[in-house]
Every structure is written in C-alpha cells, then in structure tokens.
Amino acid sequence: MAYSAPISPSLSFFKNPQLTRLSFPFSPLYSRPRVQNPSLLTKNKTWSSSVVVAATAAEKQKKRYPGESKGFVEEMRFVAMRLHTKEQAKEGEKETKSPEERPVAKWEPTVEGYLRFLVDSKLVYDTLEGIIHQSTFPTYAEFKNTGLERAEKLDTDLKWFKEQGYEIPEPTDTGKKYSQYLKDLADKDPPSFICHFYNIYFAHSAGGRMIGRKVAERILDNRELEFYKWDGDLSGLLQNVRGKLNKVAEEWTREEKNHCLEETEKSFRYSG
C-alpha cells in the first residue's frame, strides 16, 4: 500500500559534429588550413566547454521520475506497487516474508481477528477524517467530503457484528500507535501525511475490496460489509481525489515530493 534511478533523456544536440569542430577557410596557395584569426580556436574551445557545462545542468533539470509525466499520483502508485510481492501485483518486487503477504487464498481468517482489523481500521479512518474535517490548513481542506470516507461505514458494520452477539474489542496498541503517528504527521509533516492518506484510501478501494470479498466467503456467508460499499461511482470518486492530490503536489518542491514518496514504506508497515 523506494525508487528506481530517474531516467534522463539523451541530448542528441551534442552528437552534431558541427558543434564540436571548427571549420577553416583554405587558401589556394597552401595545402594546409589557415586560421584567419589565431585567437578563434581558443575562444571556440572555451565556448564549447561552456555549452557542455550548461547543457549538463539542463539535462539534470529535465530528469524524470517514474510516473512523473502523468502526475504525482502516478509516482506514488509506482512506488507503492513496487512494495507489493509478485503474488500481490505483477509490478511487485518484494519477497514474501510475513503471513499477511501471502495470497489471500492461503489466509485462515477468524471472525475475532477480522473484528480486530475492523476496529483498528475505524480508529485510523476516524483519525484521518477528523484531521481533514477539523483542519483549516489549505492542503487538507481539498480532501473534505470526497466520498471515500469510511468511518461511518465501519461504525455501521461494527454495530451489525454486535447485534449478532460478537464482542467488539478495543483498538490494539498498534492501531493506537498508528493513530497518534498520523496526528503528529498532520501537524508537522504534510507531505508524509498525504502519503498515508493516499495509500490508505486507494489501497482499500483496490486490494482491500478483494480481501473483503475473500474473507466474506470464508467466515461471513458472503455478506458484503458497508466498509466495501461507496455512495456513487467509485472510479469517479477516485479520479476526483487523484486530481486534488496532483493539484496539491504541484505546489511542492522536488525534495518535498521525494520526502512524500519515502514515507510509502512506513505507510505499508503500519497498515499491514
């Protein structure tokens, strides 16, 4: 829910021999080229070196990060996909190590374990949505009422489980720690907070839905929880948020963007 080296375009400009070789006039009385102005050679060498230095600097400025041409959301998606295993996504590069990284078909879910997941998820979504709705910070104001909000849906699901006779547990220490971490980021590190915002909501809309269906088949008699339902067209809601994320990132420096991308691995570790 880490990067390859940036790809730089080659500069064919320097492959033109006319820019690296002087052209001398020939006298009919001599068989060798004659330089009309002896200082011309030195001046042209200096000019050529200056061009090379300037063009090298320009080349560095033009370096593209994977996905950059399509907007910053595509950069975040590229980094996130690389942190998946091959079994989770075809673009994945991570080796399968922990049980939750195995294919869903090999999981052995229990209602009690699933309830712990739902309770921790509600705490995290409550935190995210509380930060967004209570903040006057312009960056966060963009993401109020996007239609992706999940806290109310989770509240409905937990009430249903309680009606079925299940005991609703308290959030785990891990869930509480993640909630506090998000609050700290929101105050002091907006790019990192936005990284978690993106990965939490977009991962749930993709792999999260698939996991929800598989778990429902195993332990809930195929009941579809509200957590996996959206009011309106999900693809349209996601596209709207993509546009907002790209708009916010346009105001960031390249360093701030890289800082956001570097937070991806931590986002995966917490939400795992």
Side-chain angles (χ1 to χ4, degrees):
M1 152 256 54
Y3 328 177
S4 62
I7 301 174
S8 302
S10 61
L11 294 175
S12 58
F13 177 81
F14 296 106
K15 296 180 181 179
N16 187 345
Q18 296 179 359
L19 296 178
T20 58
R21 184 175 64 211
L22 294 173
S23 181
F24 300 105
F26 284 79
S27 166
L29 301 178
Y30 294 91
S31 60
R32 301 190 296 183
R34 176 172 55 85
V35 179
Q36 292 178 329
N37 185 346
S39 65
L40 181 62
L41 183 59
T42 300
K43 289 181 179 179
N44 274 278
K45 283 184 176 180
T46 301
W47 173 83
S48 179
S49 298
S50 299
V51 170
V52 171
V53 171
T56 300
E59 181 182 14
K60 290 181 179 179
Q61 294 176 353
K62 293 179 180 178
K63 285 182 178 179
R64 288 284 190 180
Y65 289 76
E68 185 179 3
S69 62
K70 296 181 180 180
F72 188 63
V73 170
E74 184 63 16
E75 290 188 57
M76 289 196 286
R77 190 198 72 82
F78 179 86
V79 173
M81 294 309 294
R82 290 185 61 190
L83 291 175
H84 286 75
T85 65
K86 284 290 186 183
E87 294 173 317
Q88 294 172 331
K90 63 180 180 180
E91 299 166 81
E93 296 182 3
K94 187 177 179 181
E95 293 183 5
T96 302
K97 295 181 179 179
S98 57
E100 65 268 19
E101 292 174 343
R102 295 179 301 173
V104 179
K106 296 182 181 180
W107 288 7
E108 297 179 2
T110 63
V111 174
E112 291 73 21
Y114 194 44
L115 277 172
R116 286 195 296 272
F117 162 72
L118 294 176
V119 167
D120 277 357
S121 294
K122 184 176 185 301
L123 175 60
V124 169
Y125 282 105
D126 276 334
T127 302
L128 281 171
E129 290 158 22
I131 290 169
I132 295 296
H133 285 278
Q134 296 170 18
S135 177
T136 57
F137 191 51
T139 297
Y140 303 151
E142 289 282 343
F143 303 103
K144 292 181 179 180
N145 303 315
T146 63
L148 297 182
E149 291 81 9
R150 299 288 86 195
E152 288 188 10
K153 300 285 189 180
L154 280 162
D155 188 55
T156 299
D157 289 330
L158 290 172
K159 287 178 180 177
W160 177 81
F161 275 100
K162 189 173 183 178
E163 291 170 357
Q164 308 311 306
Y166 292 102
E167 181 178 350
I168 307 303
E170 291 296 315
T172 66
D173 289 342
T174 301
K176 293 176 182 177
K177 184 178 179 181
Y178 192 18
S179 173
Q180 185 58 53
Y181 182 69
L182 290 172
K183 292 175 183 177
D184 293 340
L185 285 183
D187 290 336
K188 63 184 181 182
D189 193 349
S192 289
F193 177 79
I194 290 298
C195 174
H196 288 262
F197 175 92
Y198 164 78
N199 281 294
I200 289 171
Y201 283 103
F202 278 68
H204 178 65
S205 71
R209 286 194 297 161
M210 182 270 291
I211 291 172
R213 286 195 300 270
K214 294 295 184 180
V215 172
E217 291 173 4
R218 301 282 293 276
I219 62 175
L220 297 178
D221 292 327
N222 290 311
R223 178 185 175 81
E224 183 180 15
L225 298 183
E226 296 300 311
F227 188 30
Y228 304 101
K229 299 177 183 179
W230 285 262
D231 299 324
D233 176 51
L234 177 58
S235 61
L237 297 175
L238 291 170
Q239 186 58 36
N240 179 53
V241 175
R242 284 190 193 95
K244 292 177 181 292
L245 287 166
N246 284 330
K247 179 182 176 182
V248 166
E250 286 174 1
E251 304 299 320
W252 293 349
T253 64
R254 184 64 252 179
E255 289 72 20
E256 288 173 320
K257 291 179 180 179
N258 289 347
H259 180 65
C260 174
L261 296 175
E262 289 165 359
E263 188 71 13
T264 306
E265 188 169 359
K266 189 171 289 186
S267 171
F268 269 55
R269 193 161 62 244
Y270 270 113
S271 60

